[in-house]
Amino acid sequence: MKQSQTLIPTLREVPADADIKSHQLLLRAGFIRQNASGIYSFLPLGKKVLQKVEAIIREEMDEAGGVEVLMPALQPAELWETTGRWGTYGPELMRLTDRHNRSFALGATHEEIITSLLRDEVNSYKKLPLTLYQIQSKFRDEKRPRFGLLRGREFLMKDAYSFHSNKESLDEAYEKLMQAYSNIFRRCGLDFRAVQADSGAIGGKDNHEFMVLSEIGEDTIAFSDASDYAANLEMAAVTTSYPEQAHSGKDMTAVDTPDQKTITEVAAFLNVAASDVVKSMLFIADEKPVLVLIRGDHEVNEIKVKRALNAKVVELATHEETSTYLAAAAGSIGPVGVSEDITIIADHAVKSMGDLIIGANKEGVHYKHAKLNRDFSISQFEDLRFVVEGDPSPDGNGTIQFAKGIEVGHVFKLGTVYSEPLNATVLDENGRATPMIMGCYGIGVSRTVAAIAEQFNDDKGLTWPVNIAPYDLHVIAVNMKDELQSQVAEELYKLLKDYRYQVLLDNRPERAGVKFADSDLIGLPVRITVGKRASEGIVEVKIRKTGEVHEVQKEELTDKLQDIFRQLSNI
Amino acid sequence: MKQSQTLIPTLREVPADADIKSHQLLLRAGFIRQNASGIYSFLPLGKKVLQKVEAIIREEMDEAGGVEVLMPALQPAELWETTGRWGTYGPELMRLTDRHNRSFALGATHEEIITSLLRDEVNSYKKLPLTLYQIQSKFRDEKRPRFGLLRGREFLMKDAYSFHSNKESLDEAYEKLMQAYSNIFRRCGLDFRAVQADSGAIGGKDNHEFMVLSEIGEDTIAFSDASDYAANLEMAAVTTSYPEQAHSGKDMTAVDTPDQKTITEVAAFLNVAASDVVKSMLFIADEKPVLVLIRGDHEVNEIKVKRALNAKVVELATHEETSTYLAAAAGSIGPVGVSEDITIIADHAVKSMGDLIIGANKEGVHYKHAKLNRDFSISQFEDLRFVVEGDPSPDGNGTIQFAKGIEVGHVFKLGTVYSEPLNATVLDENGRATPMIMGCYGIGVSRTVAAIAEQFNDDKGLTWPVNIAPYDLHVIAVNMKDELQSQVAEELYKLLKDYRYQVLLDNRPERAGVKFADSDLIGLPVRITVGKRASEGIVEVKIRKTGEVHEVQKEELTDKLQDIFRQLSNI
């Protein structure tokens, strides 16, 4: 492609509203432009990169047994009403009415559409399993669109749905798709982790997020420094065994702790460590009161509390609720003498503590020397706290570290949460109708492009990995007015295209400095500069990522490039 | 692809609501399914066909100098307000508001978006010309969605826009794109014509429609039987010279024609041919009355009237308007003695008529022996009538015939109708700001798929051309329970894939009759049947389109297929 024939509007200045590197550089290098908040056009280079990512996704999805389809963006409201999501999805789901006043959702996701399709077209377990996928623009009216392509309102997504007649078949597809996703993100050059995650709004149980490690990520990942264990912070299990501390044998004693509300305040007031104090928190779980005890230096993880109680809804008790169930406000509450109506559960760490400092259920009073199973008892010990850096990895290998991540993929075992309401059943081996068991698998395609840009850049611009770069080579004549230079550049452009390289030729009548700056900004893997030494048959080959420069005889150029690309593909 | 692993839900019955062949067969062969009126899902085979058409489009667009981009479906209302189309586009434009109550159009076309993009990014004539295109789902809320993919509400479209600093550059791009379009539709195997057309709602002047010839087409094409001249019926010029008829010399005489309103009635009543009578029609053109005369056997073409008068709006006068300007109702009006405020224009054919029979502007009265330039005069002679079959072709070669056509492509010279209101200017050679000159170029991608299906079918099903078929080959084992047959079928499947054929293997445990019927319905170019003679190393090769059957030794299969595909590609 000749640069005169395409549109690459580079910018020298950092756009004011772009906070992160990928957003700044994709704008500055002329890959994208904003049309409205969270809504972008992909300019020629941006479209090329998208297509590179799409091609990798298609190959790996096909390899994993997926079959491509294309479903509509306009989805009848009735389907969403059947699954209840017309109501529950909220303002993120964009809606419109047609000229006959019928309501439609603008596809944010396609579970309803595909499940109703399979309901109508597949009736026997013999026709399963099936994995269908599509690559398509999706619409979600984000409250705060931000970070360019990372959180947009219209974005390109690969969504896949698998259908099964039994759980083993789902497990098998899930494994295959996990592998496909790893291949995809590896081929995109990304540093990523597959992390155990909570499933959010879509429903279902087992699920993993594919997280690209990045400081600007909005999620925290807990990962092992010695294995591939990784989990979303909310999900990471704590398997520490705590050293047993003996009890002093002293009686439980009330001490005044006037106005000391937080653990930090109480510990300082009593001149002890936070880890010597027990934090008591009252929750309402499915309308019943539950007192949760946790070591003072730990943080309670509500998702774990919910799971431990097998509850649908868990919320911290309000001031009024706390007063109703206990004789004090939060800050002075504790497990001693509470009514039998209140379940008390505690984190494992509490079991190993010796003399406990706990709230006395009396305003501004705590107990010292409290002893478990003497002064109060616990109905359940569970893993209830957030993991912290330094905890042992739950898989037994290494210790936990934290990193920020950008979610680029998500795989779920949905089970029958959609097939049941939509009545999507197949006849099983015994001729009985049974709901199809489903999995769903998403990749944010445009977000992946941003994540790559976020990991591949330096102070001069983008540094695309070979598989993803919009072109392989940037050919530049230093001075287009020099007849020999421009002729050699044209000649190399044709030659290298014949060698199957994707080549961008900067044939613009711009100053050399402008061309070099634009070239660095755009970030193709290799630049070939035709300058003064063209008269000696010598051109310059520069590797964008490393800055490495080679002077090469024209005749040896293709051999040299073969070496370089072999090397770059191995990085 | 193994059929067990994909979704091809064939139907034996013709679906009740499908009126035309392509719709029926795309449904029956499992290529598409309807989600709502005018809204479809592309199942795996349908998606493959779409991708084949898309790939051809991309190749030819790139060859013609186009560069691919991707613009959003969500378009801010403000842009459409600037060009006035927010108001004029009507209910076909789907609209919605976001969570902040901002209005958006759902992309029906992208002139506003791309013109504003170019306005912001291109400022000098040196950066033009540019041709940008995208392939994307479009949304138009058709009043009567029908004929499956032919007239849908959400459909896949390739839209392209070219930008120029002068008209010659636009002409050049237009020619290139015309050629690209011809290549695209030829490679799709279609019988089509590029026809001169009226530009409809988008605006602009020069434009051509690409029409696939088909009885179910909604447009009538007038084309030469001896050249490539073709025009939309509304646009086809009439260049007949008419034999001069001498006037009898008799005086103009009034005759009573009581209750004879139409030309047919008047001619029969007076016992003359319709071609001896002049039809007079009163129009209101930009609020002024214009009397249009045409030979009785011809039909007036309002588009030609509008063009002849260079008027913005032309409408037939109402009963009241006719009474105001003339002393009679339509049926008895004519050019004699009318006020000078009324412009009189006539079709060329009227000039050559001898004794004229014309309305007398008196209820139930006509004149006989009226003579042009004696009894009345005409300010302009123009081509004002519809072409009819048998007229000479305007390019001088052959005679005009009619055919019905499906519009699959449309190219326009837009000029500055979008760049002016959107203020998209470039600086010209003299540093003066001048609006960019634009062309726009559309292809209905999903509609093209339907048009191909409409031209390629027989009583058994679809008969895809080689370039478009979802797979090249259908391999079928007559009896999957026969170990040898299923083994040979698998073996050929692998072998042929290694030979770069796209192969569909019917490995379903179905009866042979079902498999053959499905295979004919799906319509891949060549079927390879592994049956009883597999034990002798012989398989059957059948060409779908011709029904031709060859018994082939396994070892000779790839050579035979090479011959067959070479032959099929030449058809």
Side-chain angles (χ1 to χ4, degrees), chain A residues 15 18-29 31-32 146-151 214 216 406 446-457 462 464:
Chain A
D19 297 327
I20 61 166
K21 272 283 172 192
S22 60
H23 190 195
Q24 291 170 357
L25 289 171
L26 290 171
L27 286 169
R28 285 188 55 207
F31 283 63
I32 60 170
R146 60 193 176 281
F147 298 158
L149 301 182
L150 279 183
R151 193 166 291 277
S214 166
I216 59 103
I406 299 166
S446 39
R447 182 184 284 185
T448 296
V449 167
I452 298 168
E454 198 61 38
Q455 282 196 345
F456 289 85
N457 67 69
L462 294 157
W464 295 105

mmCIF file of all heavy atoms in Angstrom, chain A residues 15 18-29 31-32 146-151 214 216 406 446-457 462 464:
data_model
loop_
_atom_site.group_PDB
_atom_site.id
_atom_site.type_symbol
_atom_site.label_atom_id
_atom_site.label_comp_id
_atom_site.label_asym_id
_atom_site.label_seq_id
_atom_site.Cartn_x
_atom_site.Cartn_y
_atom_site.Cartn_z
ATOM 1 N N PRO A 15 -3.524 13.687 22.347
ATOM 2 C CA PRO A 15 -4.891 14.214 22.469
ATOM 3 C C PRO A 15 -5.275 14.389 23.929
ATOM 4 O O PRO A 15 -4.945 13.558 24.779
ATOM 5 C CB PRO A 15 -5.735 13.128 21.804
ATOM 6 C CG PRO A 15 -4.788 12.356 20.936
ATOM 7 C CD PRO A 15 -3.474 12.405 21.640
ATOM 8 N N ALA A 18 -7.222 11.617 26.095
ATOM 9 C CA ALA A 18 -6.742 10.223 26.089
ATOM 10 C C ALA A 18 -5.782 10.016 27.246
ATOM 11 O O ALA A 18 -4.698 10.599 27.274
ATOM 12 C CB ALA A 18 -6.067 9.912 24.763
ATOM 13 N N ASP A 19 -6.173 9.181 28.227
ATOM 14 C CA ASP A 19 -5.404 9.046 29.459
ATOM 15 C C ASP A 19 -4.367 7.942 29.417
ATOM 16 O O ASP A 19 -3.410 7.965 30.176
ATOM 17 C CB ASP A 19 -6.348 8.757 30.638
ATOM 18 C CG ASP A 19 -7.296 9.912 30.870
ATOM 19 O OD1 ASP A 19 -6.878 11.046 30.631
ATOM 20 O OD2 ASP A 19 -8.440 9.657 31.278
ATOM 21 N N ILE A 20 -4.598 6.941 28.574
ATOM 22 C CA ILE A 20 -3.685 5.793 28.631
ATOM 23 C C ILE A 20 -2.943 5.661 27.306
ATOM 24 O O ILE A 20 -3.369 6.167 26.276
ATOM 25 C CB ILE A 20 -4.444 4.490 28.967
ATOM 26 C CG1 ILE A 20 -5.482 4.196 27.891
ATOM 27 C CG2 ILE A 20 -5.068 4.560 30.349
ATOM 28 C CD1 ILE A 20 -6.028 2.808 27.935
ATOM 29 N N LYS A 21 -1.837 4.946 27.378
ATOM 30 C CA LYS A 21 -0.919 4.817 26.242
ATOM 31 C C LYS A 21 -1.609 4.313 24.975
ATOM 32 O O LYS A 21 -1.425 4.859 23.891
ATOM 33 C CB LYS A 21 0.224 3.851 26.612
ATOM 34 C CG LYS A 21 1.375 4.552 27.279
ATOM 35 C CD LYS A 21 2.228 5.303 26.234
ATOM 36 C CE LYS A 21 3.276 6.175 26.893
ATOM 37 N NZ LYS A 21 3.884 7.091 25.910
ATOM 38 N N SER A 22 -2.370 3.220 25.088
ATOM 39 C CA SER A 22 -2.952 2.620 23.881
ATOM 40 C C SER A 22 -3.911 3.597 23.216
ATOM 41 O O SER A 22 -3.923 3.738 21.999
ATOM 42 C CB SER A 22 -3.670 1.310 24.219
ATOM 43 O OG SER A 22 -4.708 1.527 25.149
ATOM 44 N N HIS A 23 -4.697 4.281 24.022
ATOM 45 C CA HIS A 23 -5.650 5.231 23.467
ATOM 46 C C HIS A 23 -4.907 6.375 22.780
ATOM 47 O O HIS A 23 -5.199 6.738 21.642
ATOM 48 C CB HIS A 23 -6.558 5.750 24.592
ATOM 49 C CG HIS A 23 -7.726 6.560 24.116
ATOM 50 N ND1 HIS A 23 -8.479 7.349 24.940
ATOM 51 C CD2 HIS A 23 -8.270 6.694 22.885
ATOM 52 C CE1 HIS A 23 -9.428 7.948 24.237
ATOM 53 N NE2 HIS A 23 -9.325 7.569 22.988
ATOM 54 N N GLN A 24 -3.913 6.920 23.480
ATOM 55 C CA GLN A 24 -3.122 8.019 22.901
ATOM 56 C C GLN A 24 -2.472 7.608 21.600
ATOM 57 O O GLN A 24 -2.562 8.303 20.584
ATOM 58 C CB GLN A 24 -2.004 8.418 23.891
ATOM 59 C CG GLN A 24 -2.526 9.082 25.156
ATOM 60 C CD GLN A 24 -1.442 9.241 26.213
ATOM 61 O OE1 GLN A 24 -0.304 8.807 26.025
ATOM 62 N NE2 GLN A 24 -1.789 9.842 27.341
ATOM 63 N N LEU A 25 -1.836 6.435 21.603
ATOM 64 C CA LEU A 25 -1.043 6.036 20.436
ATOM 65 C C LEU A 25 -1.915 5.589 19.270
ATOM 66 O O LEU A 25 -1.580 5.842 18.113
ATOM 67 C CB LEU A 25 -0.040 4.951 20.831
ATOM 68 C CG LEU A 25 1.103 5.465 21.712
ATOM 69 C CD1 LEU A 25 1.941 4.315 22.255
ATOM 70 C CD2 LEU A 25 1.985 6.446 20.919
ATOM 71 N N LEU A 26 -3.032 4.931 19.546
ATOM 72 C CA LEU A 26 -3.913 4.531 18.437
ATOM 73 C C LEU A 26 -4.509 5.772 17.763
ATOM 74 O O LEU A 26 -4.710 5.794 16.551
ATOM 75 C CB LEU A 26 -5.019 3.585 18.932
ATOM 76 C CG LEU A 26 -4.533 2.185 19.332
ATOM 77 C CD1 LEU A 26 -5.644 1.382 20.009
ATOM 78 C CD2 LEU A 26 -3.993 1.417 18.124
ATOM 79 N N LEU A 27 -4.765 6.805 18.569
ATOM 80 C CA LEU A 27 -5.205 8.071 17.977
ATOM 81 C C LEU A 27 -4.044 8.745 17.230
ATOM 82 O O LEU A 27 -4.168 9.110 16.061
ATOM 83 C CB LEU A 27 -5.723 9.029 19.067
ATOM 84 C CG LEU A 27 -7.092 8.723 19.679
ATOM 85 C CD1 LEU A 27 -7.324 9.599 20.912
ATOM 86 C CD2 LEU A 27 -8.209 8.940 18.659
ATOM 87 N N ARG A 28 -2.908 8.893 17.902
ATOM 88 C CA ARG A 28 -1.785 9.640 17.316
ATOM 89 C C ARG A 28 -1.251 8.984 16.048
ATOM 90 O O ARG A 28 -0.880 9.664 15.100
ATOM 91 C CB ARG A 28 -0.655 9.772 18.337
ATOM 92 C CG ARG A 28 -0.954 10.812 19.427
ATOM 93 C CD ARG A 28 0.284 11.039 20.282
ATOM 94 N NE ARG A 28 1.414 11.399 19.444
ATOM 95 C CZ ARG A 28 2.692 11.170 19.745
ATOM 96 N NH1 ARG A 28 2.990 10.596 20.895
ATOM 97 N NH2 ARG A 28 3.657 11.518 18.915
ATOM 98 N N ALA A 29 -1.237 7.643 16.021
ATOM 99 C CA ALA A 29 -0.694 6.946 14.850
ATOM 100 C C ALA A 29 -1.749 6.773 13.754
ATOM 101 O O ALA A 29 -1.494 6.141 12.738
ATOM 102 C CB ALA A 29 -0.121 5.593 15.271
ATOM 103 N N PHE A 31 -4.773 5.183 13.784
ATOM 104 C CA PHE A 31 -5.470 3.895 13.669
ATOM 105 C C PHE A 31 -6.977 4.041 13.889
ATOM 106 O O PHE A 31 -7.759 3.293 13.322
ATOM 107 C CB PHE A 31 -4.917 2.891 14.687
ATOM 108 C CG PHE A 31 -3.592 2.289 14.298
ATOM 109 C CD1 PHE A 31 -2.458 3.083 14.168
ATOM 110 C CD2 PHE A 31 -3.473 0.926 14.057
ATOM 111 C CE1 PHE A 31 -1.225 2.533 13.805
ATOM 112 C CE2 PHE A 31 -2.249 0.371 13.688
ATOM 113 C CZ PHE A 31 -1.133 1.168 13.564
ATOM 114 N N ILE A 32 -7.363 4.958 14.760
ATOM 115 C CA ILE A 32 -8.776 5.117 15.108
ATOM 116 C C ILE A 32 -9.117 6.592 15.253
ATOM 117 O O ILE A 32 -8.230 7.433 15.419
ATOM 118 C CB ILE A 32 -9.142 4.400 16.440
ATOM 119 C CG1 ILE A 32 -8.315 4.979 17.615
ATOM 120 C CG2 ILE A 32 -8.947 2.900 16.335
ATOM 121 C CD1 ILE A 32 -8.779 4.507 18.990
ATOM 122 N N ARG A 146 -14.617 4.744 28.479
ATOM 123 C CA ARG A 146 -13.306 5.354 28.733
ATOM 124 C C ARG A 146 -12.191 4.502 28.155
ATOM 125 O O ARG A 146 -12.418 3.409 27.662
ATOM 126 C CB ARG A 146 -13.101 5.567 30.232
ATOM 127 C CG ARG A 146 -13.141 4.313 31.078
ATOM 128 C CD ARG A 146 -13.250 4.700 32.565
ATOM 129 N NE ARG A 146 -13.394 3.524 33.417
ATOM 130 C CZ ARG A 146 -14.540 2.869 33.592
ATOM 131 N NH1 ARG A 146 -15.640 3.223 32.944
ATOM 132 N NH2 ARG A 146 -14.599 1.809 34.388
ATOM 133 N N PHE A 147 -10.993 5.058 28.191
ATOM 134 C CA PHE A 147 -9.799 4.348 27.742
ATOM 135 C C PHE A 147 -9.900 3.905 26.285
ATOM 136 O O PHE A 147 -9.437 2.828 25.922
ATOM 137 C CB PHE A 147 -9.506 3.136 28.643
ATOM 138 C CG PHE A 147 -9.224 3.477 30.080
ATOM 139 C CD1 PHE A 147 -9.390 2.525 31.083
ATOM 140 C CD2 PHE A 147 -8.790 4.751 30.430
ATOM 141 C CE1 PHE A 147 -9.117 2.840 32.415
ATOM 142 C CE2 PHE A 147 -8.521 5.073 31.759
ATOM 143 C CZ PHE A 147 -8.684 4.113 32.743
ATOM 144 N N GLY A 148 -10.530 4.709 25.441
ATOM 145 C CA GLY A 148 -10.568 4.395 24.009
ATOM 146 C C GLY A 148 -11.282 3.097 23.730
ATOM 147 O O GLY A 148 -12.441 2.920 24.125
ATOM 148 N N LEU A 149 -10.597 2.173 23.073
ATOM 149 C CA LEU A 149 -11.240 0.911 22.691
ATOM 150 C C LEU A 149 -11.432 -0.021 23.880
ATOM 151 O O LEU A 149 -12.090 -1.051 23.765
ATOM 152 C CB LEU A 149 -10.384 0.188 21.650
ATOM 153 C CG LEU A 149 -10.099 0.952 20.345
ATOM 154 C CD1 LEU A 149 -9.277 0.055 19.414
ATOM 155 C CD2 LEU A 149 -11.401 1.361 19.658
ATOM 156 N N LEU A 150 -10.862 0.312 25.036
ATOM 157 C CA LEU A 150 -10.948 -0.628 26.162
ATOM 158 C C LEU A 150 -12.353 -0.701 26.743
ATOM 159 O O LEU A 150 -12.798 -1.756 27.169
ATOM 160 C CB LEU A 150 -9.953 -0.255 27.258
ATOM 161 C CG LEU A 150 -8.517 -0.714 27.027
ATOM 162 C CD1 LEU A 150 -7.661 -0.347 28.222
ATOM 163 C CD2 LEU A 150 -8.431 -2.213 26.760
ATOM 164 N N ARG A 151 -13.048 0.411 26.784
ATOM 165 C CA ARG A 151 -14.411 0.360 27.294
ATOM 166 C C ARG A 151 -15.288 1.264 26.441
ATOM 167 O O ARG A 151 -15.531 2.414 26.753
ATOM 168 C CB ARG A 151 -14.460 0.737 28.786
ATOM 169 C CG ARG A 151 -15.809 0.400 29.442
ATOM 170 C CD ARG A 151 -15.762 0.448 30.959
ATOM 171 N NE ARG A 151 -14.957 -0.632 31.522
ATOM 172 C CZ ARG A 151 -15.408 -1.875 31.728
ATOM 173 N NH1 ARG A 151 -16.645 -2.187 31.437
ATOM 174 N NH2 ARG A 151 -14.612 -2.780 32.233
ATOM 175 N N SER A 214 -1.520 -5.592 32.901
ATOM 176 C CA SER A 214 -1.278 -4.186 32.557
ATOM 177 C C SER A 214 -1.616 -3.311 33.743
ATOM 178 O O SER A 214 -2.626 -3.526 34.418
ATOM 179 C CB SER A 214 -2.158 -3.790 31.370
ATOM 180 O OG SER A 214 -2.170 -2.390 31.229
ATOM 181 N N ILE A 216 -2.804 -0.480 33.783
ATOM 182 C CA ILE A 216 -4.029 0.296 33.658
ATOM 183 C C ILE A 216 -5.269 -0.613 33.733
ATOM 184 O O ILE A 216 -6.387 -0.140 33.574
ATOM 185 C CB ILE A 216 -4.046 1.120 32.360
ATOM 186 C CG1 ILE A 216 -3.922 0.218 31.123
ATOM 187 C CG2 ILE A 216 -2.942 2.142 32.349
ATOM 188 C CD1 ILE A 216 -5.194 0.007 30.400
ATOM 189 N N ILE A 406 -6.363 -6.469 32.189
ATOM 190 C CA ILE A 406 -7.426 -6.050 31.270
ATOM 191 C C ILE A 406 -8.112 -7.324 30.802
ATOM 192 O O ILE A 406 -7.469 -8.205 30.227
ATOM 193 C CB ILE A 406 -6.829 -5.335 30.030
ATOM 194 C CG1 ILE A 406 -6.056 -4.089 30.428
ATOM 195 C CG2 ILE A 406 -7.935 -5.009 29.028
ATOM 196 C CD1 ILE A 406 -5.171 -3.533 29.295
ATOM 197 N N SER A 446 -11.925 -5.711 19.579
ATOM 198 C CA SER A 446 -11.342 -4.376 19.532
ATOM 199 C C SER A 446 -10.593 -4.087 20.837
ATOM 200 O O SER A 446 -9.561 -3.414 20.837
ATOM 201 C CB SER A 446 -12.417 -3.317 19.262
ATOM 202 O OG SER A 446 -13.621 -3.584 19.931
ATOM 203 N N ARG A 447 -11.068 -4.629 21.942
ATOM 204 C CA ARG A 447 -10.360 -4.441 23.205
ATOM 205 C C ARG A 447 -9.003 -5.149 23.183
ATOM 206 O O ARG A 447 -8.031 -4.650 23.750
ATOM 207 C CB ARG A 447 -11.215 -4.972 24.369
ATOM 208 C CG ARG A 447 -10.562 -4.768 25.713
ATOM 209 C CD ARG A 447 -11.355 -5.360 26.841
ATOM 210 N NE ARG A 447 -12.516 -4.556 27.186
ATOM 211 C CZ ARG A 447 -13.310 -4.841 28.221
ATOM 212 N NH1 ARG A 447 -13.059 -5.905 28.973
ATOM 213 N NH2 ARG A 447 -14.346 -4.072 28.493
ATOM 214 N N THR A 448 -8.963 -6.303 22.522
ATOM 215 C CA THR A 448 -7.690 -7.013 22.401
ATOM 216 C C THR A 448 -6.676 -6.161 21.640
ATOM 217 O O THR A 448 -5.493 -6.108 21.991
ATOM 218 C CB THR A 448 -7.908 -8.374 21.698
ATOM 219 O OG1 THR A 448 -8.742 -9.180 22.524
ATOM 220 C CG2 THR A 448 -6.591 -9.094 21.471
ATOM 221 N N VAL A 449 -7.148 -5.473 20.593
ATOM 222 C CA VAL A 449 -6.262 -4.575 19.851
ATOM 223 C C VAL A 449 -5.687 -3.519 20.794
ATOM 224 O O VAL A 449 -4.478 -3.247 20.783
ATOM 225 C CB VAL A 449 -7.019 -3.908 18.677
ATOM 226 C CG1 VAL A 449 -6.206 -2.751 18.100
ATOM 227 C CG2 VAL A 449 -7.336 -4.933 17.598
ATOM 228 N N ALA A 450 -6.537 -2.945 21.633
ATOM 229 C CA ALA A 450 -6.065 -1.934 22.581
ATOM 230 C C ALA A 450 -5.091 -2.539 23.585
ATOM 231 O O ALA A 450 -4.077 -1.925 23.932
ATOM 232 C CB ALA A 450 -7.245 -1.296 23.303
ATOM 233 N N ALA A 451 -5.385 -3.763 24.027
ATOM 234 C CA ALA A 451 -4.507 -4.412 25.009
ATOM 235 C C ALA A 451 -3.134 -4.671 24.399
ATOM 236 O O ALA A 451 -2.107 -4.511 25.067
ATOM 237 C CB ALA A 451 -5.133 -5.721 25.502
ATOM 238 N N ILE A 452 -3.114 -5.055 23.129
ATOM 239 C CA ILE A 452 -1.829 -5.263 22.450
ATOM 240 C C ILE A 452 -1.073 -3.932 22.385
ATOM 241 O O ILE A 452 0.110 -3.856 22.701
ATOM 242 C CB ILE A 452 -2.036 -5.846 21.037
ATOM 243 C CG1 ILE A 452 -2.710 -7.223 21.111
ATOM 244 C CG2 ILE A 452 -0.695 -5.963 20.303
ATOM 245 C CD1 ILE A 452 -3.221 -7.752 19.772
ATOM 246 N N ALA A 453 -1.796 -2.893 21.987
ATOM 247 C CA ALA A 453 -1.152 -1.572 21.899
ATOM 248 C C ALA A 453 -0.625 -1.135 23.266
ATOM 249 O O ALA A 453 0.412 -0.465 23.369
ATOM 250 C CB ALA A 453 -2.131 -0.543 21.348
ATOM 251 N N GLU A 454 -1.334 -1.524 24.311
ATOM 252 C CA GLU A 454 -0.936 -1.154 25.670
ATOM 253 C C GLU A 454 0.355 -1.868 26.069
ATOM 254 O O GLU A 454 1.177 -1.309 26.786
ATOM 255 C CB GLU A 454 -2.081 -1.505 26.631
ATOM 256 C CG GLU A 454 -2.047 -0.849 27.976
ATOM 257 C CD GLU A 454 -2.120 0.682 27.950
ATOM 258 O OE1 GLU A 454 -2.855 1.237 27.117
ATOM 259 O OE2 GLU A 454 -1.417 1.313 28.757
ATOM 260 N N GLN A 455 0.531 -3.113 25.598
ATOM 261 C CA GLN A 455 1.753 -3.863 25.944
ATOM 262 C C GLN A 455 2.902 -3.624 24.969
ATOM 263 O O GLN A 455 4.049 -3.914 25.276
ATOM 264 C CB GLN A 455 1.441 -5.366 26.014
ATOM 265 C CG GLN A 455 0.738 -5.761 27.305
ATOM 266 C CD GLN A 455 0.780 -7.257 27.566
ATOM 267 O OE1 GLN A 455 1.074 -8.057 26.686
ATOM 268 N NE2 GLN A 455 0.472 -7.641 28.790
ATOM 269 N N PHE A 456 2.583 -3.127 23.757
ATOM 270 C CA PHE A 456 3.633 -2.968 22.753
ATOM 271 C C PHE A 456 3.800 -1.505 22.353
ATOM 272 O O PHE A 456 3.203 -1.063 21.362
ATOM 273 C CB PHE A 456 3.337 -3.832 21.523
ATOM 274 C CG PHE A 456 3.508 -5.304 21.782
ATOM 275 C CD1 PHE A 456 2.483 -6.056 22.332
ATOM 276 C CD2 PHE A 456 4.721 -5.919 21.515
ATOM 277 C CE1 PHE A 456 2.652 -7.407 22.603
ATOM 278 C CE2 PHE A 456 4.905 -7.266 21.781
ATOM 279 C CZ PHE A 456 3.866 -8.022 22.326
ATOM 280 N N ASN A 457 4.550 -0.787 23.116
ATOM 281 C CA ASN A 457 4.842 0.602 22.758
ATOM 282 C C ASN A 457 6.094 1.063 23.497
ATOM 283 O O ASN A 457 6.546 0.424 24.442
ATOM 284 C CB ASN A 457 3.641 1.502 23.089
ATOM 285 C CG ASN A 457 3.399 1.616 24.579
ATOM 286 O OD1 ASN A 457 4.187 2.207 25.303
ATOM 287 N ND2 ASN A 457 2.317 1.021 25.070
ATOM 288 N N LEU A 462 4.137 2.965 18.734
ATOM 289 C CA LEU A 462 3.721 1.568 18.838
ATOM 290 C C LEU A 462 4.840 0.654 18.343
ATOM 291 O O LEU A 462 5.651 1.061 17.509
ATOM 292 C CB LEU A 462 2.449 1.363 18.017
ATOM 293 C CG LEU A 462 1.235 2.123 18.574
ATOM 294 C CD1 LEU A 462 0.187 2.377 17.500
ATOM 295 C CD2 LEU A 462 0.629 1.348 19.742
ATOM 296 N N TRP A 464 4.334 -2.974 17.221
ATOM 297 C CA TRP A 464 3.456 -4.125 17.012
ATOM 298 C C TRP A 464 4.219 -5.439 16.895
ATOM 299 O O TRP A 464 5.247 -5.512 16.225
ATOM 300 C CB TRP A 464 2.659 -3.946 15.713
ATOM 301 C CG TRP A 464 1.707 -2.807 15.758
ATOM 302 C CD1 TRP A 464 1.863 -1.595 15.141
ATOM 303 C CD2 TRP A 464 0.451 -2.766 16.441
ATOM 304 N NE1 TRP A 464 0.775 -0.795 15.407
ATOM 305 C CE2 TRP A 464 -0.100 -1.483 16.196
ATOM 306 C CE3 TRP A 464 -0.257 -3.665 17.234
ATOM 307 C CZ2 TRP A 464 -1.338 -1.100 16.720
ATOM 308 C CZ3 TRP A 464 -1.474 -3.286 17.756
ATOM 309 C CH2 TRP A 464 -1.998 -2.020 17.506
#
